Amino acid sequence: MELISGTGQPADVTIYPVFEDSEGEPAGLTLREGMGGRGAVHWFYGRHGEQDILVVGLGSRDKFGMEALREAAGGAGREIRKASLRTASIDGTALRDIFGEVEWPEQAAVAWVEGWLLGTYVFDKYTSRYKKGQVDWIRIESDAERSYAEAAWLGRARAEAVALARDLCNEAPNDLHPASFVQRIKMVFAGRNVKLHVYQGEELKQRQMNGLLAVGSGSKHPPAMVEIEYFGDSNAPHLALIGKGSHV
């Protein structure tokens, strides 16, 4: 999915994010009560070749933040994906008072891409149903063109990281057991600036990881623990994330 700005060829649908107290009539449509509620989505379908319009609610203007924008993007993404549309434009009129500029700031662009991709996430590895594709591009309507390539990359990277965690949680346990989990992690981090260490077998006993050994004793698959050490900014604070899996 490409995130662009400016004006150009008409999109299949225009997205109008609105607040609860938004006034006016976007694209000549009268806003009804509830349309600006956080998470609300309303379609106005074009007739005789007219463009479709999707109104998405941002909730209270006073409580607005990037999470509300992510939710709006996710809701819009799900609706547009269900409709099998391939291009979309965003009219940010309601957001200009918040951002103080015509073009969106980088953090808003990151949040939109992240919310859109997370909102349209599906785990369809084991289904034979028709898989709907993502949109080709989304345009932020603006009088001036601006590159959002870096913001789109960051939003996509965050969403893909979350999607990986969701994939691992959604996997069938007979397919993703400790040994296959270790192999999956090695594949994901191959060639990256990280150090992997796999604790299993006798090393677990030597390090007295008795809780892990006790839980793993109820499975035909021996337990394992993967330590992933990222070598980034040496001056940054240390951060440790701990997760657990299950055994079958």
Side-chain angles (χ1 to χ4, degrees):
M1 180 184 71
E2 184 181 7
L3 186 67
I4 58 179
S5 67
T7 57
Q9 65 186 92
D12 295 329
V13 57
T14 293
I15 304 167
Y16 283 89
V18 297
F19 290 101
E20 289 176 341
D21 62 350
S22 291
E23 299 178 352
E25 301 179 352
L29 302 172
T30 301
L31 296 178
R32 299 190 299 273
E33 184 178 357
M35 284 188 175
R38 186 163 172 172
V41 290
H42 292 84
W43 278 102
F44 292 90
Y45 295 106
R47 295 178 297 176
H48 308 298
E50 296 176 345
Q51 188 183 53
D52 292 335
I53 293 174
L54 181 64
V55 175
V56 294
L58 298 170
S60 169
R61 190 184 300 269
D62 295 336
K63 298 179 180 179
F64 174 76
M66 290 301 104
E67 187 57 30
L69 191 60
R70 290 187 190 94
E71 291 178 9
R78 287 189 295 273
E79 291 294 314
I80 291 172
R81 179 170 181 161
K82 285 191 295 184
S84 298
L85 302 178
R86 303 306 299 269
T87 60
S89 61
I90 311 168
D91 186 296
T93 302
L95 292 166
R96 288 173 186 166
D97 291 341
I98 297 290
F99 296 147
E101 55 182 54
V102 175
E103 294 82 12
W104 287 17
E106 292 293 305
Q107 63 178 4
V110 172
W112 184 271
V113 172
E114 185 179 1
W116 184 287
L117 294 178
L118 291 178
T120 56
Y121 167 86
V122 290
F123 184 74
D124 51 13
K125 179 178 178 179
Y126 299 103
T127 181
S128 58
R129 293 181 299 177
Y130 174 72
K131 300 178 181 179
K132 296 181 181 294
Q134 295 282 359
V135 300
D136 295 329
W137 53 261
I138 301 174
R139 182 176 60 243
I140 299 173
E141 294 289 350
S142 170
D143 293 333
E145 291 189 4
R146 176 180 175 183
S147 175
Y148 285 107
E150 185 173 347
W153 176 87
L154 180 56
R156 188 178 300 109
R158 291 178 177 177
E160 288 176 352
V162 175
L164 171 61
R166 290 178 176 179
D167 285 346
L168 294 174
C169 291
N170 287 325
E171 272 285 2
N174 59 319
D175 282 346
L176 190 69
H177 45 75
S180 60
F181 171 78
V182 169
Q183 292 304 313
R184 179 82 66 88
I185 294 302
K186 286 181 177 179
M187 290 176 57
V188 169
F189 289 97
R192 301 180 185 273
N193 188 30
V194 299
K195 178 182 178 181
L196 297 180
H197 183 85
V198 180
Y199 298 86
Q200 54 190 358
E202 189 63 30
E203 188 173 9
L204 292 176
K205 297 179 182 179
Q206 293 175 356
R207 291 180 175 271
Q208 299 184 4
M209 297 184 178
N210 298 321
L212 182 60
L213 289 167
V215 174
S217 65
S219 170
K220 65 180 180 180
H221 300 288
M225 187 182 81
V226 182
E227 181 182 59
I228 306 171
E229 186 176 3
Y230 169 64
F231 297 93
D233 184 357
S234 60
N235 295 319
H238 287 185
L239 175 66
L241 302 175
I242 303 175
K244 64 176 290 293
S246 58
H247 300 74
V248 175

